[in-house]
Amino acid sequence: MQGAIHEQVFDVLQCTFPSHPWLEGFASPFNAFLTSFGSAFTDLDWHFGSLGDCMDFSFGQQDCCCEVNPPFSPGIMNGMADHIENQLGKAEEKDVSLTFVVIVPTANDNDDAATVKQAASISFQRMLSSAYCRKHIRLAAREHG
């Protein structure tokens, strides 16, 4: 399971911010919906349209929206939280409109899910408490469409 969101979610996002170009931050040539996407294996994926690793992108040059649905690994999620915070700070300095829509799962209290939730909770709480966090929406599984 890749945990990718489906095209109806992208349609809603693009309708919400229609005047800004969109970038899909964590995708692959196999599951990318948007034409502009970043991926993990840039040495190979660039042949199929990847713009590179989203953690290397500098977003603060022009108005942009970025959907990020990272691999649910604490190291990647913490790095992503750092990168988003850094890029939003740079965009603010340059008076550039930059929006990140972060898609991450919540977990129930079963053993496997609780472990994932605990491991990811540091980055999740950092993002929620960030001065840049404007909105947090929690949707039940299968309701995000």
Side-chain angles (χ1 to χ4, degrees):
M1 183 185 101
Q2 292 193 15
I5 58 176
H6 48 80
E7 66 183 70
Q8 290 90 345
V9 177
F10 283 108
D11 291 343
V12 169
L13 294 175
Q14 289 177 313
C15 287
T16 303
F17 300 95
S19 62
H20 291 34
W22 273 91
L23 173 74
E24 193 172 351
F26 292 92
S28 78
F30 299 108
N31 72 359
F33 178 76
L34 301 175
T35 55
S36 296
F37 69 94
S39 64
F41 304 103
T42 57
D43 55 338
L44 177 64
D45 291 349
W46 73 270
H47 293 284
F48 304 100
S50 173
L51 299 175
D53 185 341
C54 127
M55 303 288 264
D56 294 334
F57 292 167
S58 179
F59 292 94
Q61 309 306 314
Q62 66 177 10
D63 294 352
C64 177
C65 295
C66 183
E67 176 274 336
V68 289
N69 182 8
F72 310 131
S73 159
I76 293 173
M77 291 178 72
N78 284 327
M80 178 195 70
D82 289 340
H83 188 62
I84 288 173
E85 189 90 16
N86 180 279
Q87 293 303 304
L88 288 168
K90 288 180 180 180
E92 187 175 57
E93 289 172 4
K94 295 180 180 182
D95 198 29
V96 171
S97 176
L98 178 60
T99 299
F100 285 92
V101 175
V102 181
I103 312 286
V104 292
T106 57
N108 297 326
D109 291 331
N110 67 44
D111 292 338
D112 293 337
T115 302
V116 170
K117 185 176 183 179
Q118 181 181 15
S121 66
I122 295 170
S123 61
F124 185 71
Q125 290 305 319
R126 281 183 51 217
M127 288 185 285
L128 285 179
S129 64
S130 170
Y132 297 110
C133 183
R134 298 291 186 257
K135 186 146 185 115
H136 171 239
I137 301 170
R138 183 178 180 163
L139 300 172
R142 310 238 188 270
E143 288 186 15
H144 67 280

